[in-house]
Amino acid sequence: MIVEVSSHNTNIATDDTQKKRAGRVRKKKEKIIFEAAELEFAEKGFEGATIDSIAKRAGLARPNVHYYFDNKLKLYGEVLSNILELWDTALNDISIDDQPYEALRTYITRKIEFSRKHPLSSRIFASEIISGAPHLKAYYQEAYQEWFSRKLEIFDSWSRSGKIDKVDPAHLLFLIWSSTQHYADFEVQIASALGKETLEDKDYLSAAETLTAVITKGIGCPPDMGR
Amino acid sequence: MIVEVSSHNTNIATDDTQKKRAGRVRKKKEKIIFEAAELEFAEKGFEGATIDSIAKRAGLARPNVHYYFDNKLKLYGEVLSNILELWDTALNDISIDDQPYEALRTYITRKIEFSRKHPLSSRIFASEIISGAPHLKAYYQEAYQEWFSRKLEIFDSWSRSGKIDKVDPAHLLFLIWSSTQHYADFEVQIASALGKETLEDKDYLSAAETLTAVITKGIGCPPDMGR
DNA sequence: GCCAAACTTGACACAAGTGTCAAAAATCAA
DNA sequence: TTGATTTTTGACACTTGTGTCAAGTTTGGC
């Protein structure tokens, strides 16, 4: 039942066994279906999503969805791996040589931008984790742990060289990750708190500013620290 | 379709229309079903949950679940309002007269403890928000906005009186909320990052410590500020 | 021990979802 | 224009889930 999610595949149609090469129509329809699927999965989760509903969102007959993506699991797998890929390319990355303030400011800003540009992806991912990541086990035993420990090393080295305070690097990473992720996953709640229907550009901007200010000062590398 | 979620009802069976008063058996069974439902909803979301699966988790025949809770929506409504109630009682609360450091330390610690003790509740709530809060609209237009603005006032007053830095209070609140919430919702991811199957007490403790340290220092009210 | 109320369950009717197939329609290269 | 290929769709068989009912069983007060 576990999807083998490959984090890097440029072509959406993975199994070339009997799949026809992508014509114009195919590409367009795949995109329409894919986007409808993202909406559906974000709103209902994997278990709650139905192919019928995806077909309706896409404006197609249900068997047509089966024609392009064999079944719900395959479609979901594509959506998931697309998310991981997006993530990889959009957030490359913090380097050990960077100055903490600049590096964190950039990272936080990019992560928040990502939350604004790809809220559905973020939410689908969150739903998957919340429900125990049943389709991501593979990924979690490999790529993620590596990504995580690379970040830890950077924070550790910053901490050892006195560039930042001695703070538990893992929890610091969780702090950065969760507070930025929040703006995608809990957008409804945030908008409601701010008395709006939906968040605007300036909200994301001031979020990034505030998070950067509080977190960098909180670990002892505020902007005015100089060098 | 929107559930009228009342944030305070001591008795689980709300509609006394034809419901029999709670005997011993009733109470016990309701609890078993309720807990099975929490597991199911946390894992599958509202749309994906099935009564059959809840019945199986509870070790009962499906019609028996219908006997105690009329249908899925009612059961979900009970679960949701139980969560809101838990929240209200467990996190009461920050007062405007408190010193920021102590108040925040207490709040963050309690919130993380809540994440440890009630991970399912937290996750169900998160799923509901992620999918657009279709069953919480009512709550969100009232109680939540009030809760939120009360917190804002406190932060604002701290900020005006120079007890903390001039930081956007809304985003500060989101920061605190999201980073603590994270330990319930993304437990799988966190455990995987830390190379464990499941989180231990000390993980929650060091989480609370780190968050408190970084956030309070980040807004200019570290413990050694004294008074 | 009796019996009314509370509880349990198999069976039913119905609704919704899945995946497949064959035939119709559209596309496009020669 | 034609005909092979790609795409679309109605129909089918099947599975899963829902809610109800009536007949059974258990429980507990007397």
Side-chain angles (χ1 to χ4, degrees):
Chain A
M1 258 307 181
I2 291 169
V3 182
E4 282 300 325
V5 181
S6 61
S7 171
H8 283 296
N9 53 342
T10 34
N11 192 8
I12 271 181
T14 38
D15 67 325
D16 5 49
T17 19
Q18 77 221 98
K19 286 278 152 164
K20 314 85 201 170
R21 61 232 139 273
R24 236 159 295 158
V25 186
R26 178 166 206 92
K27 244 180 184 157
K28 210 175 80 183
K29 288 293 165 67
E30 271 175 351
K31 192 170 171 228
I32 292 176
I33 294 172
F34 191 88
E35 285 170 1
E38 286 191 317
L39 265 171
E40 174 78 359
F41 286 130
E43 224 166 77
K44 313 262 190 71
F46 174 73
E47 299 279 350
T50 73
I51 305 221
D52 202 51
S53 175
I54 292 171
K56 271 183 193 116
R57 284 179 201 264
L60 300 172
R62 192 169 52 79
N64 210 347
V65 174
H66 284 295
Y67 176 74
Y68 289 107
F69 300 87
D70 288 7
N71 54 44
K72 194 164 103 171
L73 197 57
K74 286 233 181 90
L75 181 46
Y76 187 65
E78 302 285 358
V79 169
L80 273 189
S81 68
N82 178 253
I83 293 167
L84 300 182
E85 196 188 335
L86 268 178
W87 232 300
D88 263 19
T89 57
L91 296 171
N92 258 335
D93 212 357
I94 297 181
S95 139
I96 206 157
D97 304 317
D98 293 334
Q99 286 304 310
Y101 177 78
E102 269 310 311
L104 289 177
R105 194 177 64 80
T106 306
Y107 187 81
I108 289 170
T109 306
R110 283 216 199 123
K111 185 92 194 330
I112 293 233
E113 259 168 37
F114 191 89
S115 283
R116 190 182 93 246
K117 283 192 197 146
H118 306 284
L120 297 182
S121 300
S122 291
R123 279 175 217 153
I124 294 166
F125 182 81
S127 284
E128 173 69 16
I129 303 293
I130 287 176
S131 53
H135 306 94
L136 276 177
K137 294 283 188 217
Y139 171 70
Y140 265 99
Q141 252 107 68
E142 301 161 31
Y144 175 65
Q145 298 202 349
E146 201 198 301
W147 174 90
F148 187 81
S149 67
R150 249 186 292 125
K151 294 282 171 306
L152 277 200
E153 276 170 33
I154 294 175
F155 285 179
D156 253 341
S157 102
W158 284 349
S159 168
R160 275 197 312 275
S161 64
K163 285 180 178 172
I164 65 172
D165 295 348
K166 299 231 170 307
V167 179
D168 187 313
H171 292 296
L172 173 58
L173 196 38
F174 296 144
L175 169 61
I176 294 172
W177 207 86
S178 62
S179 55
T180 49
Q181 183 75 5
H182 193 62
Y183 288 86
D185 300 346
F186 290 71
E187 190 190 346
V188 179
Q189 193 186 28
I190 291 176
S192 161
L194 299 180
K196 308 183 172 187
E197 275 301 305
T198 169
L199 297 185
E200 299 162 62
D201 278 11
K202 62 171 185 191
D203 296 317
Y204 292 96
L205 273 179
S206 64
E209 266 172 40
T210 305
L211 291 185
T212 303
V214 174
I215 292 172
T216 55
K217 179 170 179 180
I219 60 174
C221 65
D224 51 10
M225 271 267 296
R227 147 180 318 267
Chain B
M1 257 311 182
I2 292 168
V3 183
E4 282 301 322
V5 183
S6 62
S7 170
H8 284 296
N9 51 341
T10 33
N11 192 8
I12 273 183
T14 40
D15 66 327
D16 5 49
T17 20
Q18 76 222 97
K19 287 279 151 164
K20 313 87 201 170
R21 61 234 138 274
R24 236 159 296 158
V25 186
R26 177 167 206 91
K27 246 184 181 155
K28 210 177 80 182
K29 287 294 164 69
E30 270 175 352
K31 193 170 169 229
I32 291 176
I33 294 171
F34 192 88
E35 285 170 1
E38 285 191 319
L39 264 172
E40 173 78 0
F41 285 131
E43 222 166 79
K44 314 259 190 74
F46 173 74
E47 300 279 351
T50 73
I51 306 222
D52 202 52
S53 174
I54 292 171
K56 271 183 194 119
R57 285 178 200 264
L60 300 172
R62 193 168 51 80
N64 211 346
V65 174
H66 284 295
Y67 176 74
Y68 289 107
F69 300 87
D70 288 7
N71 54 44
K72 193 165 103 171
L73 197 57
K74 287 234 182 88
L75 182 47
Y76 187 65
E78 302 285 357
V79 170
L80 272 189
S81 68
N82 177 253
I83 293 167
L84 299 182
E85 197 188 335
L86 269 178
W87 232 299
D88 263 20
T89 57
L91 296 170
N92 258 335
D93 213 358
I94 296 182
S95 137
I96 206 157
D97 304 317
D98 293 335
Q99 287 304 311
Y101 177 78
E102 268 310 312
L104 290 178
R105 194 178 63 80
T106 307
Y107 187 82
I108 289 169
T109 306
R110 284 218 198 122
K111 185 90 194 328
I112 293 235
E113 260 169 36
F114 191 89
S115 283
R116 190 184 91 246
K117 281 190 197 149
H118 306 284
L120 297 183
S121 299
S122 291
R123 279 175 217 154
I124 293 164
F125 182 81
S127 283
E128 172 68 17
I129 303 293
I130 287 177
S131 54
H135 306 95
L136 275 178
K137 294 283 189 215
Y139 171 69
Y140 263 98
Q141 252 107 68
E142 300 160 33
Y144 175 65
Q145 298 201 349
E146 201 197 301
W147 173 90
F148 187 80
S149 67
R150 250 186 293 124
K151 294 282 172 304
L152 277 199
E153 275 169 33
I154 294 174
F155 286 180
D156 252 341
S157 102
W158 284 349
S159 166
R160 274 197 312 274
S161 65
K163 285 180 177 170
I164 64 172
D165 296 347
K166 299 229 171 310
V167 180
D168 186 313
H171 292 296
L172 173 57
L173 195 38
F174 297 144
L175 169 61
I176 294 171
W177 207 85
S178 61
S179 56
T180 49
Q181 184 74 7
H182 192 62
Y183 288 86
D185 301 345
F186 290 72
E187 191 190 344
V188 178
Q189 193 186 28
I190 291 176
S192 161
L194 299 179
K196 308 181 171 188
E197 275 301 305
T198 169
L199 298 185
E200 299 162 63
D201 278 12
K202 63 171 185 189
D203 295 317
Y204 293 96
L205 273 179
S206 64
E209 264 174 41
T210 305
L211 290 185
T212 302
V214 174
I215 292 173
T216 56
K217 178 169 179 181
I219 60 174
C221 66
D224 50 9
M225 273 269 294
R227 145 160 311 262

